Amino acid sequence: MDKKIMAAIVIIIIAVVGVGVYGYSSYVASSESGTITIYAASSLAKQMNNTAAEFKKQHPNVDVQIQYGGSSDLISQITQLNKSVDIMASADYGLIDKNMIPNSTSFNLEFARNELVIAYTNNSKNSSQINSTNWYEILNQSDVKIGLADPNSAPAGYRGVMMIQMANSYYNNSNIFNDLIASNSAITSQANGSSYVISSPNNLNPTSKIVSRPAVSDLMPVLQSNSVDYVLVYKSDAEQQKSSGVKYMTLPPQLALSNTTYESTYKNYKLTQFSDTNKSKSVTLTPIVYGITVLNNAPHRDLAIQFLQLLLSPAGNKITQDSYQDPIVPAIATNGSTNIPQPLQQYVKQ
């Protein structure tokens, strides 16, 4: 065979393999049209908005509509109110496994990590003194106000409350949870051997010390307006607001909830949520790992799968990193996952 022809064939083969490996970055613009509807945790706003913008470059005729909020609330809208949605992205991957498989979806992909931090500004009382060994003492001072996401609607809320209960054991101080949470709200905690069950009533009834908001993203305006001194948020939320004067304190690894090493310890902490109809459900503390899926009855399933291809590709991982979250590469299919769409399988470890 002519050497020039052979060289041309090799180049073509390399190009084809390259599309498989690098995925979305080499696609040409698509003529497909339609609207993808995404429900996503509010802490994913920057990542999802930027992914959608990149997707639009490749699919100029496709509209991407994203609704942000607390993951628990969004999933309830899908499973209980039958909202028509293509993609669900949760700040707690376990919520998809527990509430959506198998009736609403067949698979769940862990695709990014985050961590819990305490954010503040220069106007926050005693912010020059706070560190990883005394933060709970600073927050307990009588003139200090704290911002928390609602434990009944947002993973950042129930994770924050359970983290504070876990701080009792970590610092060998039995008063931390009572001082910060139980004494300032209707939230209670009951020990059961080495485990704890926390109850979060629909009416949190907070004192003036605590300000609660439905989603973690709602806390930043409260902090920046000096309505509170400190807020429990995700690292990505604080990083994205650094330019406007937000600072943050990192917690010890076990309390930051970003490390799966401590998962066996986290399982000892559960929180019972109550809805406005007084129905209850239990959530277990888990590492801060995001899960994403395409719904079984997604109106635009093919486009939704293509969106996930972009999100899980190297280009999508770069967007995730730039949003101050840690991409999981390859993404991990949870134990209950089945029927993962073939186009996604190259990006997934099962």
Side-chain angles (χ1 to χ4, degrees):
M1 184 180 292
D2 185 274
K3 290 184 177 180
K4 290 183 179 179
I5 296 176
M6 178 64 75
I9 292 173
V10 171
I11 291 171
I12 291 170
I13 291 172
I14 291 173
V16 170
V17 173
V19 169
V21 174
Y22 295 105
Y24 216 89
S25 61
S26 59
Y27 284 7
V28 295
S30 169
S31 61
E32 294 173 290
S33 61
T35 299
I36 302 174
T37 301
I38 301 174
Y39 277 15
S42 60
S43 57
L44 285 170
K46 180 179 175 67
Q47 193 264 13
M48 282 291 172
N49 288 342
N50 290 345
T51 303
E54 182 64 26
F55 188 81
K56 284 284 289 182
K57 293 178 184 178
Q58 311 296 335
H59 297 77
N61 299 318
V62 176
D63 186 25
V64 180
Q65 296 185 354
I66 309 175
Q67 179 173 328
Y68 296 108
S71 298
S72 296
D73 274 355
L74 295 174
I75 290 175
S76 292
Q77 289 182 41
I78 295 171
T79 60
Q80 297 176 25
L81 303 180
N82 298 315
K83 293 289 186 179
S84 181
V85 176
D86 294 289
I87 294 170
M88 176 65 213
S90 172
D92 183 346
Y93 75 93
L95 294 178
I96 294 176
D97 281 354
K98 184 175 181 180
N99 300 298
M100 302 186 74
I101 294 177
N103 294 332
S104 299
T105 186
S106 65
F107 72 95
N108 179 19
L109 306 180
E110 302 172 26
F111 73 97
R113 293 186 178 90
N114 215 328
E115 67 178 276
L116 207 61
V117 301
I118 298 175
Y120 59 91
T121 70
N122 285 336
N123 294 322
S124 301
K125 296 180 181 67
N126 303 313
S127 61
S128 63
Q129 302 171 24
I130 196 167
N131 57 50
S132 62
T133 61
N134 71 1
W135 60 268
Y136 56 90
E137 295 173 341
I138 298 292
L139 267 56
N140 188 40
Q141 292 174 350
S142 59
D143 57 345
V144 170
K145 293 189 175 183
I146 310 166
L148 298 171
D150 188 341
N152 292 317
S153 62
Y158 60 69
R159 282 172 169 146
V161 169
M162 286 191 275
M163 181 279 290
I164 291 173
Q165 175 63 78
M166 187 164 55
N168 279 22
S169 299
Y170 184 85
Y171 294 103
N172 194 27
N173 183 328
S174 60
N175 297 318
I176 297 174
F177 182 87
N178 183 67
D179 289 344
L180 297 181
I181 302 298
S183 295
N184 295 292
S185 72
I187 299 172
T188 59
S189 180
Q190 183 69 42
N192 182 13
S194 60
S195 300
Y196 291 87
V197 177
I198 298 167
S199 178
S200 178
N202 180 49
N203 181 6
L204 299 180
N205 196 25
T207 67
S208 59
K209 186 177 187 67
I210 292 180
V211 173
S212 177
R213 291 292 182 268
V216 65
S217 60
D218 300 327
L219 293 174
M220 280 305 175
V222 179
L223 175 65
Q224 292 165 311
S225 66
N226 300 319
S227 298
V228 297
D229 298 288
Y230 299 93
V231 291
L232 270 173
V233 295
Y234 296 129
K235 179 181 176 179
S236 59
D237 296 300
E239 282 280 1
Q240 290 166 23
Q241 297 297 324
K242 263 190 167 181
S243 61
S244 60
V246 171
K247 301 179 178 181
Y248 65 90
M249 186 214 82
T250 56
L251 291 159
Q254 182 175 329
L255 302 182
L257 308 181
S258 63
N259 197 327
T260 55
T261 302
Y262 304 105
E263 197 154 10
S264 59
T265 299
Y266 298 158
K267 290 179 180 178
N268 293 321
Y269 298 86
K270 299 181 185 298
L271 182 142
T272 304
Q273 299 172 312
F274 289 88
S275 67
D276 51 9
T277 59
N278 218 31
K279 291 183 178 179
S280 66
K281 57 183 177 182
S282 176
V283 290
T284 301
L285 186 61
T286 57
I288 303 171
V289 175
Y290 294 89
I292 194 164
T293 189
V294 176
L295 280 294
N296 288 337
N297 60 353
H300 296 90
R301 184 174 176 82
D302 289 344
L303 285 173
I305 290 170
Q306 290 178 47
F307 187 93
L308 258 64
Q309 280 183 270
L310 169 58
L311 183 140
L312 300 175
S313 73
N317 292 332
K318 178 66 164 55
I319 292 172
T320 299
Q321 284 182 318
D322 291 344
S323 304
Y324 304 103
Q325 288 143 349
D326 297 324
I328 298 174
V329 183
I332 300 172
T334 61
N335 289 335
S337 294
T338 59
N339 300 321
I340 298 170
Q342 192 278 331
L344 302 181
Q345 291 179 15
Q346 63 178 315
Y347 303 115
V348 177
K349 176 183 178 181
Q350 297 191 48

